[in-house]
């Protein structure tokens, strides 16, 4: 199993995820709210107009509309009703058991938190740059196909043994498959590549990786997930 040097280069908090919402999203939400001619709104005013229109509705109604837009066919009407009420008081991007929906829950809460001046839970994510250096250039191939699992296995040793990641996903960190990894590391962008190193720009919830801000440079092994054979 290849060993890597892991170096945290930067760490900051985010109140919203970059590129989470764009003007096309605001127009689509305005259309769902039956706003006349959203295409006629100046680009610089779309976000404000969308948020103003959301606040014309009851919070639960707005929450359901945003969740419906984000998840379309992934949730039933009953689930949307329940989650729309929960979204007002609960950090669904941390507490909901469906990890694959967490990034969407975060984005929904962020839009509504801003629109309603804090009536929804305060969302907070983390963004950090981490440099991964291999002894052998060929070892970097472990990140080529699905980087989330091998990268998360490298980040784990930078957290305390009592960290939530170790307590809930210790078996996956040590094991051969970690299907939850892409739902924990929401965005991974490789930058500054050399023959033997790569810098990853990572965005995730502070729920999992807040304590990585304390990480010093260290060495750790990692491995990619084993390929799961498809059923014939």
């Amino acid at each position: 199993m290849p060993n890597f040097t892991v170096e945290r280069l930067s760490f900051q908090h985010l109140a919203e995820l970059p590129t989470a919402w764009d003007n096309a999203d605001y127009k689509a939400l305005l259309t769902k709210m039956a706003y006349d001619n959203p295409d006629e709104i100046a680009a610089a005013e779309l976000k404000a107009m969308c948020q103003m229109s959301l606040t014309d509705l009851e919070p639960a109604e707005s929450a359901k509309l945003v969740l419906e837009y984000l998840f379309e066919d992934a949730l039933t009407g009953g689930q949307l009703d329940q989650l729309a009420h929960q979204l007002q008081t609960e950090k669904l991007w941390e507490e909901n058991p469906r990890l694959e929906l967490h990034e969407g829950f975060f984005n929904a809460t962020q839009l509504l938190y801003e629109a309603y001046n804090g009536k929804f839970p305060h969302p907070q994510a983390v963004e950090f740059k981490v440099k991964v250096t291999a002894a052998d250039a060929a070892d970097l191939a472990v990140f080529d196909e699905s980087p989330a699992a091998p990268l998360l296995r490298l980040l784990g040793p930078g957290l305390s043994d009592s960290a939530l990641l170790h307590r809930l996903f210790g078996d996956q960190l040590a094991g051969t498959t970690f299907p939850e990894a892409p739902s924990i590391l929401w965005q991974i962008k490789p930058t500054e590549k050399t023959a033997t190193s790569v810098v990853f720009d990572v965005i995730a919830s502070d729920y999992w990786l807040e304590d990585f801000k304390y990480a010093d440079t260290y060495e750790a092994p990692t491995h990619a997930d084993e390929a799961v054979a498809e059923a014939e």
Side-chain angles (χ1 to χ4, degrees), residues 135-162:
D136 188 322
D139 292 342
L140 288 176
V142 73
F143 303 108
D144 284 352
E145 289 193 20
S146 302
L151 182 56
L152 201 48
R153 290 186 177 108
L154 273 187
L155 299 177
L159 306 172
S160 71
D161 291 340
S162 61

Side-chain angles (χ1 to χ4, degrees), residues 6-110:
V6 182
E7 181 184 1
R8 178 184 50 77
L9 303 179
S10 65
F11 191 98
Q12 64 176 332
H13 294 100
L14 299 177
E16 60 184 285
L17 306 189
T19 72
W21 299 100
D22 60 22
N23 285 344
D25 295 314
Y26 299 135
K27 286 182 182 180
L29 286 169
L30 284 163
T31 299
K32 281 180 70 69
M33 290 182 278
Y35 188 97
D36 290 335
N37 303 317
D39 286 333
E40 295 179 4
I41 303 171
E45 298 172 6
L46 270 168
K47 178 180 179 180
M49 188 60 70
C50 178
Q51 291 183 326
M52 192 183 304
S53 296
L54 284 168
T55 58
D56 286 339
L57 307 173
E58 289 297 316
E61 192 178 355
S62 287
K64 183 177 179 180
L65 185 141
V66 173
L67 291 173
E68 201 172 47
Y69 172 69
L70 286 173
F71 296 118
E72 296 185 30
D73 301 328
L75 297 168
T76 66
Q79 288 172 325
L80 286 166
D81 285 333
Q82 182 181 11
L83 290 166
H85 283 91
Q86 291 176 345
L87 201 71
Q88 298 173 70
T89 57
E90 299 177 26
K91 295 181 177 182
L92 291 183
W93 68 92
E94 299 176 1
E95 299 167 15
N96 189 275
R98 294 183 63 179
L99 267 70
E100 74 276 11
L101 304 182
H102 280 194
E103 186 177 355
F105 287 143
F106 184 95
N107 291 335
T109 307
Q110 174 263 309

